[in-house]
Amino acid sequence: MMRILVQEASFDVGAELNAFQAGKTDMGAIVSFSGIVRDLPEAPLRHMLIEHYPGMTERALTKIAEEACERWSLGDVLVIHRYGQMAPGDQIMMVATASPHRKDAFAAADFLMDYLKSRAPFWKKEVTADGSDWVSAKDEDEEALRRWKQG
Amino acid sequence: MMRILVQEASFDVGAELNAFQAGKTDMGAIVSFSGIVRDLPEAPLRHMLIEHYPGMTERALTKIAEEACERWSLGDVLVIHRYGQMAPGDQIMMVATASPHRKDAFAAADFLMDYLKSRAPFWKKEVTADGSDWVSAKDEDEEALRRWKQG
Amino acid sequence: MKLDVMYFAWVRERIGVPRETVETEAATVADLVRELSAREDRYELAFSDLDALRVAVDQDLTDFDASISGAREVAFFPPMTGG
Amino acid sequence: MKLDVMYFAWVRERIGVPRETVETEAATVADLVRELSAREDRYELAFSDLDALRVAVDQDLTDFDASISGAREVAFFPPMTGG
């Protein structure tokens, strides 16, 4: 079971978490991650723009969620990721995992985030008073993937 | 910054997560864990009773949260844990962590759960049609603590 | 000295009370356990397997060798199962 | 063959269009890159450092050695920065 949403509209992370949890009496453990647009200490952020690759995005997220379901005992997976224009403090995305075991719920959410970050086709651009810049990928994000690469 | 609540009353995990996130424009990453009363496959659960040690509970949770704040870069920590009687599907507890870095938010929430589970004075009793039983601590919960025991 | 002794979960059920005040000169938790166990069967039963028990002195988790001199409260309970 | 070629983020900005249809007989992604780079400066500039680029063929992430025979769409973009 999984639900993947790629949308421009904002969403209510609390309402989504409640809906995700509802009726899960066979799952004791729910982990959620939410990503929020951070303001920049140097130059105040006017807004963030997120570009994505329609079609491939849903495909990549589904593959990542399917792999998580193969690796861990999960009852449900939720991924919501926005694109378009966002202000500081706005919700960018969330993932949630439900499992009978807390270790599985944690590991799967951590895995989903690592893969989503470097393998789902989203690109962030930060717009400040000084201009705009595409956010660079970090070496540590590629390294984070290596942790999951062998059994 | 931290907020520790030990209460009999139920709570709305979504509303708590939204309140926790609100105004955190300097924290990009929020992780939450929620624990739900699981039904039992063998004998349907009538209810779960959680006993605690008033005074020591708050003290233990505060110490655990303080240690998490020393180990990782956290902007905020939330712990809510209920005691008393709960039905299958009810919320037992939640923790949430906010950090500029997703790795810190994940590690701290995972750490909080491991310590809360074996070091905060809560005891669960399951009541079914067949009678009632105190839940036994699991060896794996003690083992989970060892992961955090050296730098 | 006067000491508040508290019991939780199945320890409480076996002892039959959640807390009591005892008059004791025990120097350590282990001494206190011996004193109580000598009193009545219900204590001896509750304290029969110390590996299955945990103890807190003044609300800090500790072990059975810990001193209780000057302590206000000592609590006995099984391993915790929160979360 | 006719191929939809798509560009994202700063690759799109350098090339100047988000997508275009090209007529090509290129066998691999690398061949296609050479073909496009030979056309105009804006392509040569966008493709000047292949280490800084990622490629997807028919919406699957792959590498520059990948075959594009029979492919419908090829997309070029910088490393992803979602989450």
Side-chain angles (χ1 to χ4, degrees), chain C residues 3 9 27 39 46 58 63 67 75:
Chain C
L3 194 65
R39 278 197 194 177
D58 288 342
D63 51 50
S67 163

Side-chain angles (χ1 to χ4, degrees), chain A residues 4 25 30 64 67 74 78-80 101 105 122 128 132 137 150:
Chain A
I4 311 281
T25 56
I30 312 280
I64 294 165
E67 178 151 359
L74 300 178
L78 170 68
V79 180
I80 306 177
H101 314 290
F122 292 103
T128 67
S132 66
Q150 36 135 37

Side-chain angles (χ1 to χ4, degrees), chain D:
Chain D
M1 65 174 181
K2 270 193 172 14
L3 194 66
D4 276 336
V5 185
M6 307 172 75
Y7 311 104
F8 293 95
W10 59 254
V11 184
R12 171 178 56 69
E13 290 173 343
R14 286 195 197 169
I15 305 276
V17 295
R19 67 190 298 158
E20 59 190 329
T21 303
V22 302
E23 184 64 45
T24 179
E25 296 308 318
T28 67
V29 175
D31 292 342
L32 176 64
V33 167
R34 268 187 295 273
E35 248 184 59
L36 292 168
S37 298
R39 279 196 193 178
E40 282 180 54
D41 284 354
R42 58 191 172 111
Y43 292 100
E44 200 178 351
L45 178 70
F47 291 125
S48 59
D49 178 10
L50 292 188
D51 285 343
L53 288 187
R54 301 289 179 269
V55 62
V57 174
D58 288 341
Q59 305 191 350
D60 276 324
L61 211 55
T62 184
D63 50 51
F64 288 81
D65 296 332
S67 164
I68 54 171
S69 93
R72 285 166 293 108
E73 73 188 41
V74 174
F76 296 99
F77 40 78
M80 289 94 144
T81 55

